[in-house]
Amino acid sequence: SAQTTTAIVVQWSRMALQNLQKKRKREESSSNSAGVDNKRKSSKSDSTTRKTTSPSDINALFCTLKKEQVEHQVALQSLMRALKCRPGDIGLAGIKDMKAITYQFCTLRNVDMKRAQRPIFDERVNLSNFVPVQNFLLDRGRLLGNQFEITLRNLRQMERLEEDDGPSSWKERAVPVRSSHLDTMVDRVAKHGFINYYGEQRVGDAGQTEFVGVRAFDV
């Protein structure tokens, strides 16, 4: 059977950088406000002074998360059980498809190497390539782009059989795809893009309507 593999790189660099700049401005504004409040409290009494966590106090592990045929939230639950951590301790820049083999960078806040290398009881989820980091945590949107490698197998295309009796008697049949047709379709995607549909590929089975509507904001 014919097998073709192609790679499509999808980037949202400009939008990602704009979101990152906005986030940093909000963090700076929040940090400045906290600093003013702390000064006011310390001027009243030393007993009312509250210590704040400095960015230099944040220790984390930077690693690679691999998951295979597993939904995003299910993978997070497996990690939390294995690492004995909270959802907020796991930093990810986005959600990966369920029906795929995916790799993405991940940060683990306040998780040491020994804990990070504990067995994960879900064989579909794996952590690797650990690097200790400071002052760096991933969160949603903190990425420059994604790269997809899509494998296409046993492709078919429709061929029209025209007969002398006119269009009403014409028939169609599925035939193996021609390489020239495939090249044309790939060029069209490269030049004009494609509609970014999502559904079971991203989140698995749809489930109840009210929950699907809410989840759409997280995808």
Side-chain angles (χ1 to χ4, degrees):
S1 59
Q3 178 172 321
T4 304
T5 302
T6 185
I8 301 175
V9 178
V10 185
Q11 292 185 332
W12 297 274
S13 301
R14 183 179 302 174
M15 180 179 298
L17 291 175
Q18 290 175 348
N19 291 338
L20 183 58
Q21 290 174 354
K22 291 179 181 179
K23 178 177 176 61
R24 287 176 177 172
K25 288 181 180 179
R26 290 196 300 267
E27 290 176 348
E28 291 174 359
S29 176
S30 176
S31 177
N32 292 336
S33 299
V36 172
D37 292 339
N38 288 335
K39 288 181 180 179
R40 290 175 180 173
K41 291 179 181 179
S42 61
S43 64
K44 292 180 181 179
S45 172
D46 291 340
S47 62
T48 59
T49 301
R50 183 175 64 181
K51 294 182 179 180
T52 59
T53 301
S54 170
S56 61
D57 295 330
I58 300 177
N59 296 313
L61 285 178
F62 185 83
C63 58
T64 302
L65 168 62
K66 174 189 175 183
K67 64 183 187 68
E68 182 174 353
Q69 304 291 336
V70 60
E71 198 267 336
H72 177 80
Q73 292 296 334
V74 174
L76 290 185
Q77 291 292 334
S78 297
L79 288 178
M80 287 186 289
R81 284 195 299 269
L83 304 178
K84 306 297 183 184
C85 66
R86 300 170 299 176
D89 294 329
I90 302 173
L92 298 168
I95 297 175
K96 297 300 181 184
D97 288 348
M98 174 185 174
K99 296 183 179 180
I101 301 174
T102 67
Y103 297 83
Q104 64 187 124
F105 293 127
C106 173
T107 54
L108 305 173
R109 181 172 54 189
N110 296 327
V111 175
D112 58 31
M113 190 72 71
K114 184 177 181 180
R115 284 173 59 195
Q117 293 178 335
R118 288 177 178 174
I120 301 174
F121 301 105
D122 190 338
E123 296 180 352
R124 302 170 299 174
V125 182
N126 177 262
L127 292 174
S128 61
N129 304 324
F130 299 100
V131 178
V133 295
Q134 278 193 330
N135 314 332
F136 179 80
L137 296 173
L138 285 174
D139 53 16
R140 185 176 301 176
R142 195 169 188 178
L143 78 167
L144 296 180
N146 290 309
Q147 180 170 321
F148 302 84
E149 183 174 300
I150 304 173
T151 302
L152 308 174
R153 298 185 180 91
N154 302 323
L155 291 180
R156 313 280 285 179
Q157 70 179 86
M158 298 306 297
E159 181 180 76
R160 187 170 64 191
L161 301 176
E162 299 182 2
E163 299 184 3
D164 296 336
D165 295 338
S168 61
S169 63
W170 291 354
K171 299 179 181 180
E172 290 183 337
R173 66 177 180 180
V175 297
V177 66
R178 294 188 297 271
S179 60
S180 58
H181 175 76
L182 182 61
D183 291 340
T184 300
M185 295 298 100
V186 171
D187 289 341
R188 187 173 72 179
V189 170
K191 292 178 181 178
H192 305 292
F194 57 93
I195 300 175
N196 190 20
Y197 292 112
Y198 69 85
E200 289 82 1
Q201 176 76 13
R202 172 60 64 90
V203 298
D205 294 335
Q208 298 181 18
T209 305
E210 60 269 25
F211 295 116
V212 173
V214 173
R215 282 297 306 282
F217 293 101
D218 296 329
V219 175

